[in-house]
Amino acid sequence: MNHFSEIILLKNCFAHPRRVFAAIAIICAAMLAFGILYLQNVVGLDPCPMCIVQRYALIIVGVFSAFAAFSKKPGAWRLWGILAVIVSGLGAFTAARQSWLQWNPPEFATCGRDIYGMIESFPLQSAIPMIFKGSGDCSAIDWTFLGGTIANWSFVWFVIFAIVILVTLLRLPRK
């Protein structure tokens, strides 16, 4: 395939925003299935608080993308797309923070409370910073693929989703 045909292929892909949003929704669902059905249920990895935040972000990005895919108006694509980009940014932030904790583990690795215990026991304004401080299991590296941890790959995919959605939105016709 030559360079010219690759450019035509990319332009053709972004010419159909509903297909782009549907593809992102399907990828999100596949990633969730892999994480829950394989990593959690087969391998036996229990998600840490930051993993759960990333999981919820992935669910929300997938749902917003599905809403955009089912919408027929550019205004709805813009709304759902911008919301998906915001949530992708939050997911990427959480994944980046967890990756940093994995590269620089805390001196005293202790298993902290799970995310639900934090939210039940503390007010939300106290629980959220506790989640991002991380605990011993947030810095643990239990699984890798091609040299990257789950948090590394989450970061990469959240960034890809945000970029693809932004490019799609920027290519929409102006009013």
Side-chain angles (χ1 to χ4, degrees):
M1 190 182 283
N2 63 27
H3 184 67
F4 181 71
S5 60
E6 290 172 359
I7 292 173
I8 298 296
L9 182 65
L10 277 176
K11 281 186 176 184
N12 196 16
C13 287
F14 287 111
H16 303 284
R18 293 176 71 192
R19 291 181 189 171
V20 172
F21 286 117
I24 290 172
I26 290 168
I27 292 169
C28 287
M31 291 172 64
L32 286 165
F34 176 76
I36 295 168
L37 298 176
Y38 179 71
L39 291 178
Q40 190 171 344
N41 292 331
V42 175
V43 177
L45 300 179
D46 287 327
C48 70
M50 287 185 169
C51 293
I52 292 172
V53 170
Q54 292 167 61
R55 185 179 289 180
Y56 285 138
L58 192 62
I59 291 168
I60 294 169
V61 169
V63 167
F64 286 166
S65 296
F67 285 164
F70 286 117
S71 300
K72 294 184 179 183
K73 297 184 179 183
W77 298 337
R78 284 185 183 92
L79 171 69
W80 296 119
I82 289 169
L83 290 173
V85 167
I86 291 168
V87 176
S88 289
L90 295 172
F93 172 79
T94 306
R97 176 69 178 143
Q98 185 175 6
S99 294
W100 187 86
L101 283 171
Q102 290 173 339
W103 293 325
N104 305 293
E107 195 170 316
F108 298 101
T110 60
C111 290
R113 297 180 138 192
D114 67 346
I115 192 169
Y116 304 110
M118 288 181 201
I119 292 173
E120 287 176 359
S121 302
F122 298 98
L124 198 56
Q125 63 267 24
S126 297
I128 290 176
M130 290 171 68
I131 292 168
F132 289 102
K133 281 184 185 172
S135 63
D137 47 31
C138 285
S139 63
I141 299 174
D142 298 323
W143 183 85
T144 61
F145 178 70
L146 298 175
T149 66
I150 298 169
N152 301 149
W153 283 107
S154 267
F155 175 79
V156 167
W157 279 101
F158 280 122
V159 170
I160 289 171
F161 293 151
I163 290 170
V164 168
I165 292 170
L166 284 173
V167 168
T168 302
L169 294 177
L170 290 173
R171 294 188 49 84
L172 288 177
R174 302 280 181 223
K175 290 183 182 179

